[in-house]
Amino acid sequence: MVEVITEIYIEAPIAICFDMARDIDIHTKTVWKHTREKAVAGVTKGLIQKGELVTFEATHFGVRQRLTSKISEMVVPSFFVDETQRGAFKSLRHEHLFEKRGKGTLMTDVLRFEAPLGVLGWFAERVILKRYMRKFLEHRNKQLKILAEQPENRLHG
């Protein structure tokens, strides 16, 4: 199993950051464009809640695939977890943490995943997937930061 941790400071209230991070519409706008990611089943629009499922379809490494995740834990507005139910990974747990810092929010992602295919999967996790998933999260978080820091969002929270 591999762990990837990312952090980003967002100059926006914790409630805005929390809601934007679990908004399906925003998710599909903030991931890499070349993946053509879209929600195709379960909650496909708006805010996902504890116990709900979403299935995303996206292209990674040239292969179109589906990943179904469930929001298994949620403490508004500081924490939620999505865990893969079906998809390319043997297991995937993504913890989203939000901490009020001054006038803004520290957003931390803790992603733990395991690839299938035994030794081959173990090798892929460490040589390819860890770096790929870190870059994926960092890109998404930068895009979410840009949206959250828009002047219209500073009035909320």
Side-chain angles (χ1 to χ4, degrees):
M1 182 163 301
V2 171
E3 180 177 83
V4 175
I5 300 173
T6 63
E7 290 185 337
I8 192 165
Y9 178 78
I10 302 173
E11 292 183 27
I14 193 170
I16 294 291
C17 298
F18 182 82
D19 284 348
M20 285 188 153
R22 65 190 179 101
D23 187 303
I24 302 301
D25 301 303
I26 289 175
H27 177 86
T28 57
K29 291 176 186 171
T30 56
V31 295
W32 288 325
K33 299 295 180 212
H34 72 271
T35 65
R36 299 185 332 271
E37 188 161 334
K38 61 184 178 179
V40 296
V43 177
T44 59
K45 295 194 174 298
L47 300 178
I48 194 162
Q49 305 290 340
K50 182 178 178 182
E52 293 182 328
L53 297 167
V54 59
T55 299
F56 288 105
E57 187 176 87
T59 301
H60 295 280
F61 302 108
V63 178
R64 195 78 178 151
Q65 48 193 289
R66 286 184 176 215
L67 175 95
T68 300
S69 290
K70 179 180 183 178
I71 304 301
S72 59
E73 299 175 46
M74 183 178 290
V75 177
V76 177
S78 59
F79 180 74
F80 73 94
V81 176
D82 64 84
E83 295 185 81
T84 296
Q85 307 297 298
R86 286 186 301 279
F89 289 96
K90 182 175 180 181
S91 68
L92 187 145
R93 177 182 168 91
H94 186 179
E95 299 175 7
H96 307 257
L97 302 116
F98 304 85
E99 182 181 332
K100 184 175 175 14
R101 289 276 178 94
K103 293 182 180 180
T105 304
L106 179 65
M107 185 174 81
T108 304
D109 288 281
V110 179
L111 181 69
R112 293 180 186 95
F113 62 89
E114 187 175 1
L117 306 176
V119 174
L120 183 60
W122 182 93
F123 182 78
E125 287 169 5
R126 284 146 182 86
V127 175
I128 300 166
L129 293 174
K130 184 173 185 177
R131 183 172 179 263
Y132 183 85
M133 296 304 284
R134 176 178 302 285
K135 288 188 173 296
F136 183 85
L137 288 175
E138 289 172 346
H139 173 82
R140 180 177 187 275
N141 292 346
K142 285 177 188 170
Q143 298 306 306
L144 194 131
K145 175 182 172 70
I146 290 166
L147 289 175
E149 291 179 349
Q150 295 297 311
E152 62 269 20
N153 291 322
R154 293 188 186 163
L155 303 173
H156 301 33

